[in-house]
Structures are given as C-alpha cells and as structure tokens.
C-alpha cells in the first residue's frame, strides 16, 4: 500500500487529470492498494475562505465554485461514473449552498463555520478524482468524510493519532476499492465537527495517514519536479535535490520556493517512511527519508527579500532584565512577525529583521520605550539561508562562512539541529551573496 497526495495546483483541467491517471496506473502495477489524498482543486480553498468571510457575496462565490466542479466533472467522467459523481456532487453542493446562505443571512462567521465551509473543497475534489478514475476503468471510491480525527482548534487543528488510526482503518475496511480517494487538509473532532489543519495541510494529512497505517512510501505530487537547490527563477543552474534528510527537509520546506505545511515531516521522525516529492509535468523527484548522514553535505539555498533590519541601540539595555522582553512585546502589540533577530554579548543593541511593510509600525511602537531605547536605525536587508547536514561539521560550515565573509554579513544564525545557516546582509549585496552561496551548494549537492 502507498499514499499518494495530489496537490490543488495540479487539479485544474482534463489534461492534468490525464497525467495523474498515468502516474496512478504506474503505482498500481506494484501495489495492492493506493490511498490517494486530494487537496481542493486550484484556488477552491481561497474562494471558500472568501465565501465564509464576505457575507454579501458568499452565495454567489459558492455557486460559481459549485458550477466549476460540475463543469469539470463533465469533462472528466462519462456514463455510470459521471452519473454517480453527479449525484454525490449534487448532494454535497446542496449542503454547501445552505451553509453559504446562512452566512449571508446571519452576517456572521465563526472559526467553526469557516472550517465547515472550507471542508467542502477537499470533499468535492475527492468526488471529482474518483469519478474520473472510475470513468477510466479503475476500481476507485470517493470518501467525503474526513479521515483525520483532531482536537477543536479550528483553522489549525491538532491531529489525534490513535483516533485517526482507528478511523482510517475503519474507512479502509468499509471501502473495499483498490483506489481509495480521501480528502486531505480536513478533520473532524470526536464530537463530529469539521476542522482544518492549517493552509497547505494536505501534505501533512498524507504523512499522518501513512504513519497511522504503517505505510512506507508517501508520494507528494506537485507542479515542480521535487525540491530544488534554489528558486529556478533566481538561480540559473538550480537543480532538483536527489535526497534530503528529515532535518534538511524541515528547514528547506519553510525557507524554499516550494513551501510545505510546517508539520509535514513531523510524523516521520523515528520512522523509516520515505516521502517522494515529485513533479506532474516534468520528470524529477526528491526523496526525503531518515536523519542526517555523513553523505549529506549541502543541499539548498533559500532567500527572503523585502526585509528591513531594525537596529535598536542603547547602553540602558545592558544587564537590564526585561529589556529584550519589552522590545519584543512592542513588536507583538504592533502585530509584527520577527523574521530573524540577534544581540551581541555587550547587550548594547538588539537587531530585529522584519518584513519591509512592518518596519514603520514597529518603529512607531518603539517610540513608546523612550526610557529604554535611545537610537533606532532601519536599513534594507536580505536574508540568505544555506541548508545541509554538513553545516553541523566545522569543515563545511567554515567553508560556507568564508564564502559569505566577502559580503560582510550583518548577522549569522543557525536553524534547527544546526542544519541551516542564515546570513543577513545589506540589500545591495544580498543577491550576489545568494548567487555565490548557491554555487557552493551546487558543487556539493548529492
Ligand atoms: N486546500 C488546502 C489549502 O489550499 C490544503 C492544501 O492545499 O494542502 O490550503
Ligand atoms: Mg495546496
């Protein structure tokens, strides 16, 4: 048995599904059963969120989205498969329309209602996928109930692993098809309320379900051919990384061009489950399995642009307990996310790196701390991160730091398990620094 996750950006039109069919046929040759986890079709989740918050337009948005699903169904399936899909879709579309109507009438949305409305994206996608596969002669079934059991933290629900295991096992006993299509991203509380696990959560659903079922391979099918050494729009010679350790994958999936849900790899620590991130349109894949090994050196690079460094200086902060807390609490009050931060041992300054459009808000609030802060300077910077298990070793990290030193970085920090190094540099040099470090990485990619 394997778990295959189909991303939302590759569920747009018939051509995409034809390519998906080819892949699924190939996996079926080697597997008794294939569990397919689907995201909502392209843009559906955004539209459903909009429908749940924009009370005036909720019914209009929902009815357009439902129409799109019916139109896609008629492109994807015919005969009995179409009829069955049509019936299933009509039933669920009716529930969605009712929910949109109540949002419109009551002019109110709670996180619970939002999750309920959003859950229809994945449930409708499951029906489309199963109808299409059936129409092509495969033994497929759509499941529209959420496989995950979660707590009731709507919008960012936490998975209850044991309960999920029981639930998925029951679903697979009941649905006997060789291909079982399950909705990703959504869950249900033990009281039966719909939840979601956070944006991009289908990847996470796939790894949780694999762990719950003891499945050894998870394939995440996406637009891009695996995880790359750097954003190909920026780095001319960027290439697919053949293998990543879990620690590297966690760091790179947060920093890189291909963002995955932050918890995607959590269920895999302590297991030998392999995740293959592979492209639908282009050949190429990245395998993620196990912890750092001696063969893992440097893997990839990620950059964050449009940042500002807010340099806060004052001799009054020295040795004063609570000064850093006071500064950070102003950032919190201003609703500003801290991208990176540093402080020298002299304690005479604190540097906060924030998104450019947050800097003004933060500086205004720091004005409240006149008795503590004497000087605030702001400058444009970029962040360049290098990822690889080799950075745990002095011979590799010293080489990377030496290559960066010519660009006079303003600060250097290390990520989880010391498998990433982030340099903050002046905006004028950060692009060149990134290119230089990408060359170092490419030489070492294994
Ligand atoms: N459909 C959800 C989202 O757009 C989950 C996912 O795509 O993984 O966030
Ligand atoms: Mg998605």
């Amino acid at each position: 048995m394997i778990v295959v996750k189909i991303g939302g950006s590759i569920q747009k039109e018939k051509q995409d599904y034809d390519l998906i069919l080819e892949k699924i046929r190939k996996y079926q040759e080697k597997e008794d059963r294939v569990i397919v986890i689907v995201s909502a079709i392209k843009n559906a989740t955004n539209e459903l969120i909009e429908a749940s918050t924009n009370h005036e337009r909720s019914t209009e948005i929902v009815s357009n989205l439902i129409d799109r699903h019916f139109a896609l169904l008629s492109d994807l399936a015919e005969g009995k498969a179409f009829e069955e899909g049509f019936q299933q879709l009509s039933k669920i579309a009716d529930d969605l329309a009712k929910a949109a109507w109540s949002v419109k009438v009551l002019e109110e949305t709670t996180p619970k209602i939002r999750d309920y409305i959003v859950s229809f994206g994945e449930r409708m996608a499951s029906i489309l996928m199963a109808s299409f596969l059936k129409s092509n002669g495969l033994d497929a079934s759509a499941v529209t109930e959420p496989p995950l059991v979660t707590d009731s933290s709507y919008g960012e629900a936490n998975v209850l692993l044991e309960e999920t295991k029981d639930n998925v096992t029951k679903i697979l006993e009941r649905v006997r098809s060789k291909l079982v299509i399950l909705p990703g991203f959504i869950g249900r509380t033990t009281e039966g309320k719909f939840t979601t696990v956070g944006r991009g959560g289908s990847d996470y659903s796939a790894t949780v379900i694999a762990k719950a079922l003891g499945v050894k391979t998870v394939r995440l099918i996406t637009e891009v051919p695996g995880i790359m050494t750097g954003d190909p729009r920026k780095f001319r010679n960027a290439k697919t990384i053949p293998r990543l350790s879990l620690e590297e994958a966690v760091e790179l999936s947060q920093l890189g061009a291909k963002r995955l849900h932050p918890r995607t790899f959590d269920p895999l620590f302590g297991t030998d489950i392999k995740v293959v991130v592979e492209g639908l349109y282009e050949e190429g894949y990245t395998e993620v399995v196990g912890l750092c090994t001696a063969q893992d050196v440097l893997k990839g690079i990620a950059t964050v642009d449009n940042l500002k460094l807010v340099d806060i200086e004052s001799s009054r902060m020295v040795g004063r307990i609570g000064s850093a807390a006071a500064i950070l609490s102003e950032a919190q009050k201003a609703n500003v996310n801290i991208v990176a931060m540093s402080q020298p041992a002299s304690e005479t300054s604190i540097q906060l790196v924030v998104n450019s459009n947050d800097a003004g808000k933060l500086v205004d609030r720091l004005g409240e701390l006149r008795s503590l802060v004497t000087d605030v300077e702001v400058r444009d910077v970029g962040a360049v991160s290098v990822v690889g298990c080799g950075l745990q070793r002095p011979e590799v990290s010293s080489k990377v730091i030496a290559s960066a030193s010519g660009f006079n970085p303003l600060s250097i920090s290390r990520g989880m398990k010391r498998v990433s190094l982030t340099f903050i540099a002046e905006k004028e040099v950060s692009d060149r620094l990134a290119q230089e470090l990408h060359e170092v990485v490419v030489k070492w990619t294994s």
Side-chain angles (χ1 to χ4, degrees), residues 202-361:
S202 299
D203 297 314
Y204 177 50
S205 296
T207 56
V208 168
I209 288 168
K211 181 167 179 163
L213 293 173
V215 168
K216 291 289 172 246
T217 308
V218 180
R219 294 183 172 272
L220 306 178
I221 318 294
T222 70
E223 276 174 300
V224 290
I227 299 176
M228 305 192 71
T229 53
D231 185 339
R233 288 163 300 188
K234 269 196 177 152
F235 304 100
R236 178 183 45 79
N237 53 347
K239 53 181 190 182
T240 296
I241 305 166
R243 178 200 130 79
L244 285 173
S245 72
L246 286 169
E247 299 95 316
E248 293 169 331
V250 170
E251 287 291 297
L252 211 53
S253 62
Q254 287 329 299
L255 293 163
K258 167 83 193 116
R259 293 264 167 108
L260 296 170
H261 187 282
R263 282 179 279 164
T264 301
F265 298 104
D266 283 1
L268 309 179
F269 282 85
T271 75
D272 57 355
I273 301 173
K274 180 169 77 182
V275 173
V276 185
V277 183
E278 67 181 75
L280 181 67
Y281 309 111
E282 282 169 78
E283 295 270 322
Y285 62 89
T286 302
E287 282 190 2
V288 184
V289 62
L291 300 176
C292 284
T293 67
Q295 276 76 52
D296 297 311
V297 189
L298 294 177
K299 298 301 175 67
I301 202 161
T303 55
V304 189
D305 300 326
N306 288 326
L307 297 175
K308 284 193 197 285
L309 178 113
V310 180
D311 198 350
I312 303 152
E313 299 188 346
S314 172
S315 52
R316 292 180 204 160
M317 300 190 298
V318 179
R320 188 153 146 193
I321 290 174
S323 46
I327 288 167
L328 293 178
S329 124
E330 292 306 325
Q332 183 185 12
K333 283 184 218 151
N335 202 19
V336 168
N337 178 45
I338 315 279
V339 177
M341 61 183 170
S342 60
Q343 184 199 278
S346 68
E347 301 178 33
T348 51
S349 69
I350 290 180
Q351 290 82 33
L352 302 180
V353 177
V354 299
N355 287 318
S356 283
N357 38 21
D358 280 345
K361 276 197 281 182

Side-chain angles (χ1 to χ4, degrees), residues 115-128:
D115 273 7
Y116 175 66
I117 291 184
V118 167
S119 78
F120 285 93
E122 271 65 15
R123 291 149 76 196
M124 294 195 292
S126 176
I127 296 171
L128 289 185

Side-chain angles (χ1 to χ4, degrees), residues 5 7-8 39-41 44-46 118 122 184-185 198-203:
K5 178 252 165 177
S39 290
I41 66 170
T45 305
N46 291 338
V118 167
E122 271 65 15
F185 176 56
R199 293 306 304 270
S202 299
D203 297 314

Side-chain angles (χ1 to χ4, degrees), residues 245 247-248 291-294 296-298 387-398 414-421:
S245 72
E247 299 95 316
E248 293 169 331
L291 300 176
C292 284
T293 67
D296 297 311
V297 189
L298 294 177
V387 177
C389 294
L391 293 169
Q392 292 173 330
R393 306 197 292 273
E395 43 321 342
V396 179
S397 66
S398 62
R414 287 181 182 266
M416 226 172 81
K417 304 277 185 290
R418 306 194 322 282
V419 302
S420 75
L421 262 180

